[in-house]
Amino acid sequence: MADPPVSSLLTAMITPAVLISGAATLLMSTSTRLGRATDRVRGLTERFKLLVGEAGQREPLAAEEKRMIIGQLPRLSRRTRYLQRALTAFYLAVALLVCTSILLGLSGLSSLDTGLIPVLTALLGSSFLAYGALLLSFEARLSARTTRAEMRFLERLGAHYASLYVQDAAEVTPEKVGST
């Protein structure tokens, strides 16, 4: 059986490890979100290139769609900045929490007096976790705004196409149906 100081030392070292695990999960999901935002910018860029071409000019609501894309790009740029900052915050949190575990281990295994340094690094690491989470909430709000803007455009596009079908249906009279 381990003596009490070693047991309490291991317990103290596990606490930052739990936070590191949480930070790793946030890192993975944030990295995925950043990749999706980057892909979204590339997709909108390709769509915009198509819309400014001759064939794209003839598409229904092409001018409105171009305006929507131009309006979304600054939001997407802000989203990617939030995500990049969140990633940086999470990496710093992991580094500080690992340092906390190392300092606790060194302090317990040697006569090195680390004082309050492990507590400060743990607090700083936790603060970076909180900061990253806050940035993710800002990014999520921006993401929802861009989605709502795109949905409004798609509703208008759907209404445009629906009106075409209503016109086509009105042009087909019972006499025309019987003669075909």
Side-chain angles (χ1 to χ4, degrees), residues 94-109:
V94 167
L96 288 163
L97 293 167
V98 167
C99 285
T100 300
S101 287
I102 291 170
L103 288 168
L104 288 169
L106 286 174
S107 176
L109 293 175

Side-chain angles (χ1 to χ4, degrees), residues 11 17 22 47 57 68 70 73 76 83 103 112 139 144 159 176:
T11 302
R47 180 67 182 153
Q57 297 285 339
M68 182 211 38
I70 290 170
L73 289 175
L76 283 164
L83 290 166
L103 288 168
L112 179 67
E139 183 274 335
K176 290 183 181 178

Side-chain angles (χ1 to χ4, degrees), residues 126-146:
S126 298
S127 297
F128 276 113
L129 275 176
Y131 175 64
L134 186 63
L135 290 170
L136 289 181
S137 76
F138 294 153
E139 183 274 335
R141 291 182 63 182
L142 272 174
S143 177
R145 260 192 247 156
T146 57

Side-chain angles (χ1 to χ4, degrees), residues 2-177:
D3 58 22
V6 172
S7 176
S8 63
L9 175 63
L10 289 174
T11 302
M13 290 177 69
I14 288 173
T15 303
V18 171
L19 291 174
I20 291 167
S21 176
T25 302
L26 288 169
L27 275 167
M28 288 188 307
S29 69
T30 303
S31 181
T32 300
R33 288 164 75 166
L34 180 59
R36 293 190 71 193
T38 301
D39 290 344
R40 184 73 184 126
V41 169
R42 289 182 183 136
L44 286 175
T45 300
E46 288 302 312
R47 180 67 182 153
F48 190 80
K49 286 179 185 177
L50 179 79
L51 288 170
V52 296
E54 188 176 322
Q57 297 285 339
R58 291 189 297 267
E59 285 195 31
L61 306 176
E64 188 173 345
E65 187 174 0
K66 285 186 280 190
R67 280 192 298 276
M68 182 211 38
I69 290 170
I70 290 170
Q72 280 193 2
L73 289 175
R75 287 186 184 132
L76 283 164
S77 178
R78 262 191 295 159
R79 278 184 64 198
T80 58
R81 280 194 306 272
Y82 281 140
L83 290 166
Q84 184 60 50
R85 288 179 189 150
L87 279 173
T88 301
F90 294 145
Y91 280 120
L92 285 170
V94 167
L96 288 163
L97 293 167
V98 167
C99 285
T100 300
S101 287
I102 291 170
L103 288 168
L104 288 169
L106 286 174
S107 176
L109 293 175
S110 70
S111 61
L112 179 67
D113 181 23
T114 56
L116 288 178
I117 295 173
V119 174
L120 294 175
T121 57
L123 284 173
L124 196 54
S126 298
S127 297
F128 276 113
L129 275 176
Y131 175 64
L134 186 63
L135 290 170
L136 289 181
S137 76
F138 294 153
E139 183 274 335
R141 291 182 63 182
L142 272 174
S143 177
R145 260 192 247 156
T146 57
T147 300
R148 282 192 303 271
E150 192 162 353
M151 291 305 296
R152 284 191 298 271
F153 170 76
L154 290 173
E155 287 170 357
R156 287 190 292 277
L157 189 61
H160 169 79
Y161 281 112
S163 69
L164 292 178
Y165 292 122
V166 169
Q167 290 172 359
D168 289 345
E171 292 172 3
V172 177
T173 62
E175 303 82 41
K176 290 183 181 178
V177 171

